[in-house]
Amino acid sequence: MNLNDIYTAAADLIAAKIDLPADEIRAALVRPPQPEMGDLGFPCFTLAKKLRAAPPKIAADLAAQISVAEPFIKITAVGGYVNFTLSLAALGEVAVAAALADDWGEFADNGKTVVIDFSSPNIAKPLAVHHIRSTMLGAALARLYAITGWRVVTINHLGDWGTNFGQLMVAYTRAKNSGETPATDLDAQLKLYLEYHQAAETNPALEGEARAWFKKLEDGDAETVKMWKIFVDESVKGLQKLYDRLNVKFDHYTGESFFNDKMAATQRRLQDAGLLVKSDGALVVELQDVGIDAPCLIQKTDGATTYATRDLAAAEYRHHEYNFDKCLYVVANQQELHFRQIFAVLKKMGYAWADGGEHVKFGMLSFAAGVFGEERATGSTRKGQIIFLDAVLARAVEKAREIIGANGRGDEGNAAILAEQVGVGAVIFSEFMQRRQKDVIFSWDKALNMQGDSGPYLQYTHARLSSLITKSGVVVGGGDAQLLTSALSRAVLLMLAEFPRVLLGATAENEPSRVAEYLLELCAVFNRLYADKKEHQIITDDAALTASRIDLVAAVRNTLRRGLAVLGIAAPEKM
Ligand code: ARG
């Protein structure tokens, strides 16, 4: 049993008395504003017209008709609401027993599939800042969907095709011609990228050369394709190191080049559907009739295919391969028009499944002054503000080490591992401190604030609770929730019980920040109890009470651990 089942039970009780579907009642249930009022409430306001009675009257009649039984101990009318109060036994089951089980927060297989396209950086140029956000958001979404019962397919739609490669090849051959043997790993590629742009400033002819290289690549010239392949493989290798560090995995790396041989068929289908229109020598799909002014560009004047055509081919391919119910694109706000166009064109092609497409947008990330240099940095490559995620992580780990050391809690043997967990965790968590569509300004003070609202703070709370459990010597799972009678304990229990519903809500909104917010609130509620040593001493002379309180502590600890895991953050045992 979890809290969802309890909501269902309440809805069924009401549905038996009035003419409304149980699902609708269930969706209308709310949390009363004051804990004394009850644990969940059914608002009677919308019934007033139909029943021709005032909401308080309806609520009072309903409450009088429903007989009280487990999992409820009280059902009363409060204003226009019918409020239900849970028994401690039921609360113990959904908040403690459930939280101590291995499958806490997990939902049964729902038979649905979600494809998540995230990170998807353009390679052959430095990793852009928005890809950091896409990477962490996408990875958290993948875990959220998995825990709530979806089959998840993760895809890295690498930008592995384009004139950038021509530029690299120019720089590479120039270096070679001057007698060097240039390396090709990610760092070397970055150097080539910078060398090209520096040289092209005084020698514009290089642009033509880069285009010529790319043309050779598109024409399938064997040597050029070989060189391209080396650059791509090395890039992916470099990226993977970063992904490993962030605990991110992809089921498929099907980048833009993967669709080179699939676009002709897509274009033919567009043609056959009568959707292609000539416009100044280019081919487009008009979308004005569906409220989008800008037409979707399918083929450029020079015959080259486009980003949009690749995405159309990719969507068809994904639907064919994975038969998805949802296909998420975790991509910055800036590409809103692009995805509106893609979904609209797919609809025009007659694909009902296009409704499953969703652009999971997010705002801009920038770095406060002092993180990278004197000025606030937005990571614009053109302005030379290249942000290396690697460097951010390294600095974060260094800083974490200082903090852990200063707190005097560093376990020397594990100090390096711990610093990595805390530093990386701080960077990841800062991604989830606000709704995804908001812009983020990253600063060390916020990311590493040990006093609250940060990843390290949650990690620290987790570690503190873990040591408390160990120190108590009590075996977890032997308590009785009915002994947890105080108002503060009840608040913690109710908060715990919410966890599975929070996961569901975060998934429905594609909003991992909801999990972060919940974890901070859970800590806040628990810390209020923990600080109240007089009333809530955890380890007491009463063995049964101690066992029950330790169970509560362990339930909070497990919830923190599970929640942090969903966000991709490690939960250290000691700190
Ligand atoms: N490579 C693109 C960029 O860097 C993002 C790709 C997102 N995914 C997609 N299917 N279009 O802006």
Side-chain angles (χ1 to χ4, degrees), residues 117-123 128 130-131 157-159 256 307 311 314 318 329-331 335 338-339:
D117 170 333
F118 70 102
S119 196
S120 307
N122 293 332
I123 52 178
H130 57 269
H131 294 115
H157 187 79
L158 279 179
E256 294 194 24
Y307 180 50
D311 257 329
R318 288 171 192 179
Y329 297 85
V330 188
V331 185
Q335 293 195 26
H338 169 74
F339 286 106

Side-chain angles (χ1 to χ4, degrees), residues 282-347:
L283 291 175
V284 304
V285 177
E286 294 284 358
L287 296 169
Q288 247 158 354
D289 58 322
V290 291
I292 302 172
D293 284 338
C296 182
L297 182 63
I298 301 298
Q299 188 185 302
K300 295 183 195 161
T301 349
D302 62 2
T305 55
T306 65
Y307 180 50
T309 320
R310 275 169 213 277
D311 257 329
L312 293 172
E316 288 183 309
Y317 175 83
R318 288 171 192 179
H319 185 260
H320 180 266
E321 286 297 299
Y322 313 118
N323 191 22
F324 59 73
D325 297 276
K326 272 198 200 184
C327 180
L328 307 183
Y329 297 85
V330 188
V331 185
N333 283 335
Q334 281 86 341
Q335 293 195 26
E336 149 144 47
L337 175 62
H338 169 74
F339 286 106
R340 272 174 56 217
Q341 291 177 323
I342 294 297
F343 301 149
V345 174
L346 290 171
K347 270 304 261 234

Side-chain angles (χ1 to χ4, degrees), residues 100-362:
L100 297 182
D102 287 339
D103 63 353
W104 180 219
E106 273 171 36
F107 287 77
D109 186 347
N110 67 7
K112 291 194 224 163
T113 298
V114 61
V115 168
I116 310 182
D117 170 333
F118 70 102
S119 196
S120 307
N122 293 332
I123 52 178
K125 63 190 276 188
L127 197 68
V129 186
H130 57 269
H131 294 115
I132 301 177
R133 294 210 69 190
S134 174
T135 305
M136 298 183 191
L137 271 168
L141 286 173
R143 286 182 286 255
L144 267 175
Y145 275 87
I147 199 170
T148 54
W150 293 66
R151 174 173 80 115
V152 180
V153 180
T154 50
I155 294 183
N156 196 328
H157 187 79
L158 279 179
D160 61 358
W161 199 256
T163 38
N164 293 330
F165 284 94
Q167 300 173 349
L168 277 195
M169 287 169 191
V170 169
Y172 184 82
T173 37
R174 275 166 64 95
K176 226 169 155 183
N177 290 344
S178 62
E180 293 173 40
T181 22
T184 51
D185 58 80
L186 200 56
D187 287 344
Q189 287 185 33
L190 179 69
K191 223 176 110 221
L192 292 173
Y193 172 91
L194 293 173
E195 276 165 14
Y196 169 85
H197 284 278
Q198 210 169 30
E201 237 166 63
T202 51
N203 183 0
L206 293 184
E207 278 172 38
E209 266 183 51
R211 268 200 302 276
W213 272 110
F214 183 56
K215 179 85 175 56
K216 264 171 100 173
L217 180 61
E218 290 226 279
D219 292 344
D221 172 69
E223 276 304 304
T224 315
V225 170
K226 210 168 118 191
M227 204 186 328
W228 166 79
K229 187 98 182 60
I230 292 172
F231 283 132
V232 172
D233 290 348
E234 289 285 355
S235 267
V236 171
K237 246 198 255 165
L239 280 173
Q240 249 154 3
K241 264 195 234 153
L242 206 56
Y243 291 146
D244 282 347
R245 205 165 171 194
L246 297 169
N247 197 8
V248 171
K249 282 182 197 64
F250 293 93
D251 297 317
H252 307 283
Y253 282 81
T254 38
E256 294 194 24
S257 68
F258 181 78
F259 298 99
N260 281 344
D261 63 358
K262 297 176 180 60
M263 280 178 290
T266 302
Q267 200 162 322
R268 213 170 321 113
R269 282 187 282 274
L270 286 165
Q271 181 76 52
D272 293 347
L275 295 172
L276 284 187
V277 178
K278 273 227 164 65
S279 164
D280 294 331
L283 291 175
V284 304
V285 177
E286 294 284 358
L287 296 169
Q288 247 158 354
D289 58 322
V290 291
I292 302 172
D293 284 338
C296 182
L297 182 63
I298 301 298
Q299 188 185 302
K300 295 183 195 161
T301 349
D302 62 2
T305 55
T306 65
Y307 180 50
T309 320
R310 275 169 213 277
D311 257 329
L312 293 172
E316 288 183 309
Y317 175 83
R318 288 171 192 179
H319 185 260
H320 180 266
E321 286 297 299
Y322 313 118
N323 191 22
F324 59 73
D325 297 276
K326 272 198 200 184
C327 180
L328 307 183
Y329 297 85
V330 188
V331 185
N333 283 335
Q334 281 86 341
Q335 293 195 26
E336 149 144 47
L337 175 62
H338 169 74
F339 286 106
R340 272 174 56 217
Q341 291 177 323
I342 294 297
F343 301 149
V345 174
L346 290 171
K347 270 304 261 234
K348 284 198 170 210
M349 293 173 84
Y351 297 133
W353 51 258
D355 287 336
E358 192 172 338
H359 178 197
V360 178
K361 328 181 231 273
F362 54 84

